[in-house]
Amino acid sequence: MRRRIIAGNWKMHNNISESQNLVSKLVSGLTNQNLIREVIICPPFTSLCEISNLLKDTKVELGAQNMHFEEKGAFTGEISSDMLKSVGCKYVILGHSERRTIFGETDELISKKIKKALTSDLTPIFCIGESLEQRENGTTNDVIKRQVLEGIKDLTEEEVNKIIIAYEPIWAIGTGKTATPEQAQEVHKFIRSILTETFSETVSEKIPILYGGSVKPNNAEDLLAKEDIDGALVGGACLEAESFISIIKA
Ligand code: PGA
């Protein structure tokens, strides 16, 4: 059985005290709950250290939202995998569409980051997804295939087994427009077929594929019920403890 995961992407939200507040509510809301899903939160860099302390002895794991692929050096404003590990991160979101579209990250750059994360023992949450224009042009599958293959091109089978993929159609992110469970399932299944072709069925059956894009308490259950949807990457709805908890429990 595949891992089931709910990850929260805080994006550029919450200073230290707001972060402490949200995490305390989240942790107390999840205490004594019998969870069938793993929970990961990805706050901004500035809150990681503080939150890492708050998450000790809880079941909630910590991730970051980005990192650089080099070990260290003259890269002003960047954060390394070693820095993330030193504050207790186990996960890192890579290739998010906001990084691709706003900050110009390319498939090539993302693939280097994925490789670096894996060699540093961090689990990449590798994001892919098509724009509205690409969906309307009928090129969704081409885009997804290119992003997947480019992202994993330098990985060994052992490495690819460790990644988490998040399918996030750009047109559904932060827009309140969710892909229907059927639309999401179709792409998730397609992603699995690419993994089968490139590696093996054992690999494709193992890799968790999360859906992201306006996941809310009222649509989570239907999305998560689909065979190839193993969890969710949640943006807006993870900024309130209550709504994030109800997605975790959906
Ligand atoms: P959203 O964001 O849930 O606010 O649409 C998801 C994401 O960007 O990861």
Side-chain angles (χ1 to χ4, degrees):
M1 181 140 123
R2 280 190 295 272
R3 295 169 63 188
R4 300 196 216 174
I5 299 161
I6 306 291
N9 174 9
W10 291 19
K11 307 193 181 184
M12 197 171 74
H13 292 284
N14 296 329
N15 61 25
I16 297 268
S17 65
E18 291 160 345
S19 299
Q20 289 166 327
N21 200 352
L22 177 53
V23 170
S24 321
K25 284 189 197 154
L26 178 65
V27 167
S28 68
L30 293 177
T31 306
N32 298 328
Q33 301 284 334
N34 224 341
L35 301 178
I36 57 162
R37 303 192 173 99
E38 298 171 52
V39 181
I40 303 167
I41 55 171
C42 304
F45 292 133
T46 46
S47 294
L48 289 174
C49 197
E50 184 67 30
I51 294 184
S52 182
N53 291 325
L54 294 175
L55 294 182
K56 282 202 181 103
D57 305 316
T58 73
K59 286 187 199 145
V60 181
E61 299 281 7
L62 191 62
Q65 298 172 22
N66 186 22
M67 61 164 237
H68 192 60
F69 62 86
E70 289 285 0
E71 188 71 32
K72 58 169 80 167
F75 301 103
T76 302
E78 292 293 326
I79 301 277
S80 73
S81 57
D82 179 57
M83 294 168 189
L84 296 184
K85 290 198 62 181
S86 72
V87 291
C89 286
K90 291 195 178 152
Y91 298 87
V92 58
I93 297 174
L94 295 175
H96 190 280
S97 63
E98 285 149 19
R99 299 293 324 165
R100 293 177 188 261
T101 58
I102 307 172
F103 300 100
E105 292 199 7
T106 59
D107 289 325
E108 178 64 25
L109 178 73
I110 294 158
S111 91
K112 287 184 184 165
K113 293 183 177 195
I114 293 174
K115 183 77 179 176
K116 180 62 184 170
L118 287 162
T119 53
S120 312
D121 218 8
L122 281 168
T123 299
I125 302 176
F126 166 35
C127 303
I128 52 175
E130 82 287 2
S131 65
L132 183 60
E133 196 188 347
Q134 290 162 335
R135 176 154 285 260
E136 286 174 348
N137 284 344
T139 54
T140 298
N141 283 3
D142 300 335
V143 172
I144 295 295
K145 187 164 185 176
R146 189 202 75 229
Q147 291 176 338
V148 171
L149 292 180
E150 289 290 312
I152 63 174
K153 70 178 160 53
D154 293 328
L155 307 187
T156 63
E157 179 156 342
E158 193 187 338
E159 287 171 333
V160 86
N161 260 315
K162 294 180 187 153
I163 69 170
I164 296 169
I165 292 178
Y167 167 59
E168 299 203 306
I170 299 174
W171 49 272
I173 294 179
T175 57
K177 260 194 218 165
T178 332
T180 64
E182 292 68 30
Q183 281 174 321
Q185 164 61 25
E186 197 182 323
V187 178
H188 283 226
K189 199 169 167 192
F190 177 65
I191 296 167
R192 248 183 252 295
S193 76
I194 302 168
L195 296 169
T196 304
E197 249 173 58
T198 317
F199 287 94
S200 64
E201 197 168 336
T202 325
V203 170
S204 82
E205 281 305 314
K206 183 164 176 204
I207 297 182
I209 307 179
L210 318 183
Y211 168 80
S214 299
V215 176
K216 307 285 176 208
N218 64 2
N219 58 28
E221 195 171 327
D222 289 343
L223 285 159
L224 295 170
K226 289 290 178 192
E227 193 186 336
D228 290 295
I229 303 183
D230 306 309
L233 180 55
V234 185
C238 78
L239 296 173
E240 296 279 343
E242 221 173 89
S243 57
F244 192 47
I245 291 170
S246 73
I247 294 171
I248 293 165
K249 291 190 189 162

